[in-house]
Amino acid sequence: SVGDERFFAYVHYMDIHWPYNRRLPDETGRFGKTDYRPKPPEHWTAVDEWAEENLNEKSLAAIVASYDEELAYVDRAFGELMDWLEERGTLDDTIVVLLADHGEGFNEHGKLQHGFEPYEAVTGIPLLIRLPPIYNIEPKATDALIGLVDISPTVFELVGLKPPKRAQGRSAVPAILGDGSRQRPVYVEGLGVRGLRGETHTVFVDSGGERTCFDNLIDPAERSPLSAPLPTTCDQLATTGMALAERFELLAGGDEDATVTMDEEEVEALRALGYLD
């Protein structure tokens, strides 16, 4: 039960993962046909091999429909949680943050599921923040670049606390308030690929150092990599992304006081993109 005391609750819905078999009994078929042959494998590790032989327009449509049915299933479950809070008179005193840790690929780049290159189809996630009426902020949508690391500092600021010194993100409260200042790029990564997504460009760097850059404004689906010579922004994003990746690897290894030695060009790239003052 929820009483008058302050509380923090973390609710993680794991349902929206392969094989997408959760669905509401009264909404079967709502998003299209899901019964087809050959039936895809139950375990995600066998999906790629199955797709090589069986993925076509019909089977892909069935997979997407199954995913949408599972999404509707979780949507209703989340609604039940909101109803529970409202019934106890707590909802309008509670900050609610709804987000995902990743999206899902449906052959936009020749692959299913997630975990491969960090294209927008996989790293672009929903983020909804519901604030109590006491904040007196009108609901609005924002196109601001916000990363998962920014969520914690955002919540800390909303409740009037300072974020931990080790917090890697920045508060998104200015974006919520409509601050139109220049945004900091968002770090993204996949299997053997790291990169940064900025306002105008996105760059990936693979384990061999090869760079792939996209123009976010004319190619938001990231289907057509830019040809050399790449814009200066792409070089800055690549340099910054690699410096951040090195820092993250040291932190992941448990070295809280880890430092990364960077040359003047790398430092300037970090500063140009808003990572250094």
Side-chain angles (χ1 to χ4, degrees):
S1 63
V2 176
D4 295 330
E5 296 183 0
R6 293 186 177 186
F7 71 94
F8 171 81
Y10 173 77
V11 182
H12 192 156
Y13 297 92
M14 281 292 293
D15 304 88
I16 313 178
H17 285 82
W18 191 275
Y20 318 136
N21 54 12
R22 295 292 187 98
R23 55 179 55 89
L24 299 168
D26 56 333
E27 293 196 357
T28 300
R30 172 185 171 188
F31 301 100
K33 295 181 179 180
T34 59
D35 184 18
Y36 59 97
R37 295 293 182 271
K39 187 177 180 180
E42 286 293 318
H43 200 274
W44 64 269
T45 56
V47 171
D48 287 345
E49 183 178 353
W50 174 88
E52 289 180 4
E53 296 289 333
N54 303 293
L55 192 64
N56 52 47
E57 185 176 342
K58 182 179 179 180
S59 60
L60 179 61
I63 290 173
V64 173
S66 297
Y67 178 85
D68 288 341
E69 286 191 351
E70 188 157 275
L71 183 60
Y73 176 90
V74 173
D75 180 71
R76 181 174 294 186
F78 180 74
E80 291 173 353
L81 175 61
M82 296 300 99
D83 292 342
W84 185 83
L85 288 171
E86 188 170 27
E87 289 168 2
R88 284 155 179 78
T90 308
L91 183 59
D92 281 343
D93 295 319
T94 303
I95 298 172
V96 179
V97 181
L98 172 66
L99 73 161
D101 55 339
H102 59 76
E104 200 81 328
F106 293 104
N107 209 42
E108 297 93 340
H109 297 277
K111 296 182 180 179
L112 299 174
Q113 305 185 84
H114 56 273
F116 47 92
E117 290 90 339
Y119 292 109
E120 173 67 12
V122 174
T123 58
I125 59 173
L127 170 61
L128 293 90
I129 301 177
R130 185 186 190 277
L131 297 176
I134 194 174
Y135 284 87
N136 196 29
I137 298 177
E138 289 294 323
K140 66 181 68 175
T142 176
D143 293 328
L145 289 170
I146 301 174
L148 289 173
V149 294
D150 300 323
I151 303 304
S152 174
T154 300
V155 174
F156 271 90
E157 181 171 350
L158 287 172
V159 299
L161 299 175
K162 291 184 178 181
K165 291 182 179 180
R166 291 188 62 214
Q168 298 171 0
R170 289 183 179 178
S171 171
V173 169
I176 294 173
L177 297 177
D179 184 347
S181 60
R182 186 168 62 91
Q183 301 171 44
R184 186 176 64 161
V186 173
Y187 177 82
V188 294
E189 65 179 17
L191 290 177
V193 181
R194 280 81 176 273
L196 282 184
R197 177 166 287 109
E199 290 186 83
T200 61
H201 293 81
T202 295
V203 65
F204 299 157
V205 182
D206 65 20
S207 57
E210 183 176 348
R211 301 178 179 182
T212 304
C213 191
F214 300 93
D215 188 315
N216 300 340
L217 303 180
I218 65 174
D219 182 28
E222 298 168 338
R223 300 292 182 90
S224 303
L226 297 176
S227 302
L230 298 178
T232 302
T233 300
C234 294
D235 291 333
Q236 291 177 332
L237 288 168
T239 299
T240 301
M242 291 304 95
L244 289 173
E246 185 177 352
R247 168 69 175 171
F248 296 156
E249 287 177 356
L250 289 172
L251 287 173
D255 187 353
E256 297 185 8
D257 298 319
T259 58
V260 178
T261 302
M262 295 178 287
D263 59 30
E264 185 175 340
E265 179 183 355
E266 291 172 326
V267 171
E268 186 55 39
L270 284 167
R271 182 175 291 110
L273 293 169
Y275 283 93
L276 292 177
D277 295 326

